[in-house]
Amino acid sequence: MRNLQFNANVGYLGTRLGKGSSSIDVMNRTQGNPDWTLVRPWVQLTSSCIAPTSIVKNIVQDPSAPPLVLALLCGGVAGLNFGSFKPGDTLAAKYGAYDLKTAPNNGQGIAADVSGHELPNAPHWTLNLGVQYTFESEDWALTPRADFYRQDASWARIYNTAIDRLRAWNNTNISLTLDQRKWDMTLQVYVKNLFNSTPITDAFVNSDDSGLTTNVFTLDPRIIGVSITKRF
């Protein structure tokens, strides 16, 4: 059946980060360590930090503590750079001694071990299937076609946590193409995303100053279109 055509592509991808790989996860800066507490210090500081839980607790429980004290734990505010309650200082005597330089990664957070984790947007399996058949006569050819794509589950970030999981998804496109040979013209009617599915295909986390909101990407909604080509 020379007018019948199939195509198929199957892909496999295996990715792993090397041993000893680490990175600070802005969604989990303390990595569950109870000795450290996440601090969102001040509007002028774009990033959060971690500080000793004992000191943060002392500050929070002190009704007379000025609002800027927590900001000082993260390095300062309004051009002032502190990040330490040195022994002998009033703040150290009141809340406890602390030096930002001794905090994990200078207070940015405890690095997560991502050894062996998979890379983002690296699904193990992808599948693409297509089929078409051409009905033709001397002056014209009519070709219906269908394409199917499936992508296995993958990750949006290298931390491979539950919030990073991207589920497997499918997409189906169809088209009907009429070639009018006498007029050297082609007319095509097509439908993209036939079943109007809206899977999340990718995502990324914004910075602390935007509240760690997450941007997600989805397939375009169902699109029905017509294309006309005339050759001269």
Side-chain angles (χ1 to χ4, degrees):
M1 300 177 68
R2 67 182 183 85
N3 287 357
L4 180 63
Q5 177 179 315
F6 291 97
N7 65 273
N9 291 289
V10 179
Y12 175 79
L13 181 61
T15 62
R16 290 289 185 274
L17 287 169
K19 185 178 181 180
S21 299
S22 63
S23 177
I24 297 173
D25 184 358
V26 296
M27 296 294 288
N28 185 13
R29 291 182 184 270
T30 67
Q31 289 297 302
N33 189 327
D35 295 331
W36 296 90
T37 296
L38 179 70
V39 177
R40 180 72 177 104
W42 194 253
V43 66
Q44 290 171 293
L45 294 177
T46 57
S47 295
S48 300
C49 75
I50 62 172
T53 300
S54 57
I55 294 179
V56 174
K57 184 177 180 181
N58 291 338
I59 295 174
V60 172
Q61 291 179 343
D62 180 10
S64 64
L68 290 180
V69 173
L70 285 176
L72 300 182
L73 291 174
C74 288
V77 65
L80 302 176
N81 186 19
F82 292 91
S84 62
F85 294 174
K86 297 180 180 179
D89 291 347
T90 302
L91 292 177
K94 194 171 186 179
Y95 303 119
Y98 166 68
D99 189 345
L100 184 67
K101 295 179 180 179
T102 63
N105 297 295
N106 293 321
Q108 296 181 56
I110 299 173
D113 181 12
V114 294
S115 302
H117 287 199
E118 298 178 27
L119 291 175
N121 294 307
H124 284 299
W125 293 99
T126 54
L127 172 67
N128 191 359
L129 300 174
V131 59
Q132 69 179 49
Y133 186 86
T134 301
F135 303 90
E136 57 183 341
S137 71
E138 183 177 346
D139 293 333
W140 56 266
L142 182 66
T143 305
R145 178 176 177 85
D147 289 280
F148 173 80
Y149 175 79
R150 178 172 177 80
Q151 179 171 302
D152 201 3
S154 60
W155 304 98
R157 304 189 307 155
I158 60 173
Y159 306 102
N160 292 186
T161 63
I163 64 171
D164 303 322
R165 194 62 167 168
L166 300 173
R167 297 179 179 178
W169 55 275
N170 306 323
N171 184 35
T172 302
N173 301 324
I174 60 173
S175 65
L176 183 64
T177 304
L178 175 63
D179 287 308
Q180 174 48 260
R181 295 161 179 164
K182 185 176 181 180
W183 298 344
D184 208 8
M185 178 182 292
T186 300
L187 171 66
Q188 184 182 72
V189 179
Y190 60 87
V191 181
K192 295 183 178 180
N193 192 3
L194 176 65
F195 300 107
N196 200 30
S197 57
T198 55
I200 296 176
T201 60
D202 196 7
F204 69 86
V205 177
N206 291 303
S207 60
D208 299 86
D209 57 350
S210 62
L212 296 177
T213 53
T214 300
N215 283 31
V216 298
F217 299 88
T218 68
L219 285 182
D220 289 334
R222 182 190 297 121
I223 296 175
I224 302 173
V226 176
S227 172
I228 301 176
T229 303
K230 177 67 174 76
R231 290 168 289 273
F232 299 94

